[in-house]
Structures are given as C-alpha cells and as structure tokens.
Amino acid sequence: MVEKPDRIESQQKLQAKRDSGMFSPISGSIKLLRRWWRTAVQAEIDQQAVIEKIKADCSFTPRYAFLTCMSAGIAILGLLLSSPAVVIGAMLLSPLMYPIMGVGFALAIGDSHWLKDAGKALLLGTIIAISFSAFVVLMSPLQTVTPEIASRTRPNLFDLAVALFSGLAGAYAMIRGGMGTIVGVAIATALMPPLAVVGFGLATNNWAVFGGSLLLYFTNFMTIALTATVMAWLYGFRSYLSERQTQFQIFVMVVVFVGLAIPLGISLVQIGREANISRSANGYIKDEFGPRARVSQIDIDFNAEPILVTASVFTPTIKTGAEDQSSRFLSRTFNQAISVKIEQYRVETGNDAAKAELASKRLSEQQEAVETQVSDLRDRLALVAGVSGDDVIIDTAKRRAVVMAKPLPGASLSTFFVLEQRISSEMQDWAISIQPPAIALPAVRVLDGKIDEESVRQLELVIWAAHRSPLGLQMAGADPDFGIVARALAAANIFAVRATDLPAEPGTLEFQWRGPDNRETADD
C-alpha cells in the first residue's frame, strides 16, 4: 500500500519537530497545563464582576475618608501606648487595601481612568492618615519613641517578602471571592501603622523615624499593587494594552522590585550583623565570668563610635581587665572597633544564685525608677522649653539635663530662670540647665557709685543667662558706671564688650546679646 504524499509530509514534519526538540514531553505538558488553566480556571472567573466589585471599594468617598481617619487615630494611639492589641484594631479597618488593589488591577488591564481614580484615593488617604496622626501626636503629652514605633522604622527584605505573599493572597481573594481573607492580609502587611509612624516623625521632627517608616509603607503598597497586577495577568483579565506596553510594564516592575530589594537587603544584613554582635557579646561575657556569675543585662549602642556594649554582671569574684579583654575579643571577631563597659556587682559565696537573683531584681527596679524619672524630666523640660523631647540632652551618668528653650509668648528671662529653679528644687540630685532664648536683657542702674538694690536681681538674671547661652554680651553705659558693672560681671567670670551703638541713659547700663560666643574669663 502506497501512503499519500501529504500524509508522508505530515509525518516527516512531526519527526523533524521531535528530532529538533520542538516537541518533547516537557513542552507538551506545558501546553496541556496552559490549556487546562484557560479552560478550567480562567473560564470560571467572572472578570466583569470582579472589576466592578474592586472599583466600588477603591474610590475616594466620605466613608473612605472617615475610616482612614479612624484607623490612623487608633493606630497612632496604640503606637504611643505601645499596645499591640490597639494597633491590630487599626489594621482591621484596612481602608487603604482596596485602592492599592485597584491600582494593581488597573495597571494589569490598562484602564487609565480607573488607575487615576484609585491612585487619587490612595494619595488622599495617605495624606489624611499622616496629617491626622501628626495632629494627634501634637495634641498628645506622650511623644517618646516606643518599641512599637521603633519596630516600624527599619524595614528589611523580610518585609518585602511579607508584602509579596500578602499581595498574592489578597489578589487571589479578590479574584476568587474570598473577601474575608483581606482582613488577614491587612493585618500581615500593616499599612496603617507605618503611616501613623510617618505622622509621628513629622510631628516630632524625627526624620530618621519619618524616613524609615515611609520606606516601609512604600515597600508594602508597591509590592501589593504590583503583585495584584501579576495575579490579574495570570488569571487572564482582559487587557487594553499592546504587547509592547505590557513588556514595558514588566520591565518597570522588575526595576521597582530590584530597587526595593537592594536597600532592604542591606538593612537585613545590618540587622543580622547586629544580632550576631549581641549574641557573641552576651555569650563571651557569660563565659568570661564563669557559671557562678550571672549576666543581668546587656545593652548595645550601635550608633556610638565605636559600638558601645554595656553589661551588668553579678559575680562572687570581681574580675579586673574584663572590659579590655572583651573589647579586644569582639573587635577582633567582627573586625570593627567595639568598646565594652561592664558593671560588676560582687555577690557573696554560699547562696550565690538566690542573692544574685535578688540583687538583679533590685537593680532592675532601680533602673526602671531611673528610666521613669528621666522620662518625666525629659517631658517637663521639653514642655517648659517649648521643644520636643528629642531636643532635651540628658546625661544619666553625670545626672545632668540641658535644653535650649524657644521664645514663648509672654515669657521673659525671669520666666525661664524661675522654671529652672523650680525643676532643680524638685530634682535636687540633678544639675538642670535651661538655656534661654536670645530675648531682651534687663537694664541695670548704678546710683552713687554702686549698683542699685533693685538692679542687683536684674544683674543676677543677666549673669545666669550669660552662663548658659552660647552668645556673648555687649554693654553700653557711661565710663564710671560701665566699670562698676564690668567688675561685677568679671567676678562671675563673664566678660561684656563695650558697645557704642546702644543708647543708654546716665546711670543706666543696657545689655544686648552678641554672637558668636566671644566670652572671656575674669583674668582677661
């Protein structure tokens, strides 16, 4: 039997494909999988219904604005109180999740009008959340960086991975109809708390907190939006884009992911390095003092130069040279300068463990009391000086507190002096210094060759202010009067230059600030 020429040609082409590798079990399986995905999975999706549902929830409406404010308010209060339960309450509202999903699906199908609508809702929601959070912080007496706030200022590569998986889950829930999953996704990615921390950083002028939390929010919403785009493509949502436009979108997405991954990866490496240093410092100090000693607390300041490790150790034997030995070991291990400071508390032999535990508890209580005292002092000084708590400088070792005050309505030089004296009387074991602003200085009168009794108090204020301010003094007055007041100033180690351009009545000495600091000692 002779085969037909067309059949022979068909068999030859099929054999040629097999020989060239164009037809193989793998490629055949892929084709079958694609066919099954299109017919059994994509065909089940009512694309129009999904799009209408997402569009209905991602526009800017009064309800959306109200929920955004409420979510931001709950989040910032939970962060200020360092209450995880309250912060989770803010996540449950999740008003920002829907416009982010809308941006992702609009990008996938190329609907520019929908993209603008969802983008507008997202932008306005972001601004509202930041502004409302900043307003709450400004009205709040609590403006310290809590652990809940600090945990959202250092995003890393793991945060990108969490946002990626959450975006996949959220987009799947949108497409397949499992809308309840969105609540879990909102808790996982936590869009609102980072925005609330951005508002906190803005209100307190803490730009490190502001930048870190803003990067975390940007990472979350960009990753979720782009992941939603990929999921929409995967489920075959009808696109109005050309093949060239789609390829450009893919290129941009790859660039964005890589651009986010690089700094987040660097941050993750740094966090891992810090964790290794903490673990090594803790282990080495424990081994150095032996099993009978107890390491109560280890704190590491990675912002110090060099890195500072402080530890409290309860030991039956005080070990000399422990700090230097630990510093050398850690510096050599990590090829970086590390300074170690160890406070050793001797515990008598016998019931060492019980005594060490009791001493540790007492030390912990003392440290908590000091921390509370320092926090209260910082808040009070910030309040009377009209500044934020970050502007108050406190040295707990030397028990000194310094703050540079801002001009306050109706506050004179005497006001700041009285405030400093009042706080100093309540904190008698602390050295309190309020640096007054460069406001008007009182005049001093000289009668019958000596300073008037009523002006003695004014001169004391001038001397007090001059000792605290970095600015110098200039003084104007007649020759005999100038010499009398100048000698009184010199006795207090204050030098005032003579100013000829300041008007002064006979018997009156006028003072004015001058800068920069050119003060000299009495010997000068």
Side-chain angles (χ1 to χ4, degrees), residues 112-176:
S112 60
H113 179 74
W114 185 15
L115 179 62
K116 290 178 182 178
D117 191 37
K120 176 184 175 182
L122 179 59
L123 177 61
L124 292 178
T126 301
I127 295 174
I128 290 173
I130 294 175
S131 302
F132 192 77
S133 300
F135 172 76
V136 173
V137 173
L138 289 173
M139 296 296 103
S140 170
L142 301 176
Q143 295 185 355
T144 56
V145 178
T146 63
E148 285 291 323
I149 293 176
S151 65
R152 291 170 172 85
T153 59
R154 296 189 67 186
N156 57 67
L157 200 57
F158 286 164
D159 293 303
L160 178 65
V162 170
L164 176 64
F165 296 144
S166 299
L168 291 172
Y172 178 83
M174 290 281 190
I175 295 171
R176 304 295 293 186

Side-chain angles (χ1 to χ4, degrees), residues 10 23 52 77 80 92 108 113 166 227 236 252 280 304 339 364 378 440 479 484:
S10 176
F23 184 83
E52 289 177 357
L77 291 176
L80 292 173
L92 291 173
H113 179 74
S166 299
T227 304
V252 172
S280 296
S339 176
S364 177
R378 186 186 301 277
D479 287 339
I484 293 171

Side-chain angles (χ1 to χ4, degrees), residues 87-88 90-98 100-101 151-152 155-156 158-171 181-196 213-225 227:
V87 175
I88 291 174
M91 301 176 191
L92 291 173
L93 295 178
S94 63
L96 297 174
M97 181 61 69
Y98 295 98
I100 291 176
M101 286 291 179
S151 65
R152 291 170 172 85
N156 57 67
F158 286 164
D159 293 303
L160 178 65
V162 170
L164 176 64
F165 296 144
S166 299
L168 291 172
T181 308
I182 295 297
V183 174
V185 172
I187 295 176
T189 49
L191 291 164
M192 189 55 71
L195 270 187
S213 54
L214 186 61
L215 177 59
L216 176 58
Y217 172 70
F218 182 78
T219 298
N220 285 344
F221 98 74
M222 284 296 295
T223 304
I224 293 173
T227 304

Side-chain angles (χ1 to χ4, degrees), residues 187-210:
I187 295 176
T189 49
L191 291 164
M192 189 55 71
L195 270 187
V197 177
V198 173
F200 174 89
L202 181 64
T204 58
N205 293 326
N206 191 329
W207 303 115
V209 170
F210 178 90

Side-chain angles (χ1 to χ4, degrees), residues 47 104-105 108-109 171 175 227-238:
Q47 296 187 5
F105 277 81
I109 68 176
I175 295 171
T227 304
T229 301
V230 174
M231 289 292 287
W233 285 340
L234 187 62
Y235 274 89
F237 275 70
R238 184 176 64 258

Side-chain angles (χ1 to χ4, degrees), residues 244-319:
R244 185 181 184 86
Q245 290 172 323
T246 302
Q247 291 176 351
F248 178 74
Q249 277 195 352
I250 295 174
F251 172 75
V252 172
M253 291 171 60
V254 171
V255 171
V256 170
F257 273 116
V258 173
L260 288 173
I262 291 175
L264 296 177
I266 294 174
S267 176
L268 180 61
V269 171
Q270 179 63 24
I271 292 174
R273 180 176 177 82
E274 292 177 2
N276 288 335
I277 293 176
S278 300
R279 183 170 57 253
S280 296
N282 189 35
Y284 183 79
I285 293 175
K286 285 182 178 179
D287 294 341
E288 187 175 13
F289 283 89
R292 299 180 64 191
R294 182 176 182 273
V295 179
S296 173
Q297 183 177 357
I298 290 183
D299 295 317
I300 303 179
D301 185 1
F302 291 99
N303 295 322
E305 187 60 39
I307 295 174
L308 178 61
V309 178
T310 57
S312 300
V313 179
F314 297 95
T315 175
T317 305
I318 301 297
K319 186 173 182 179

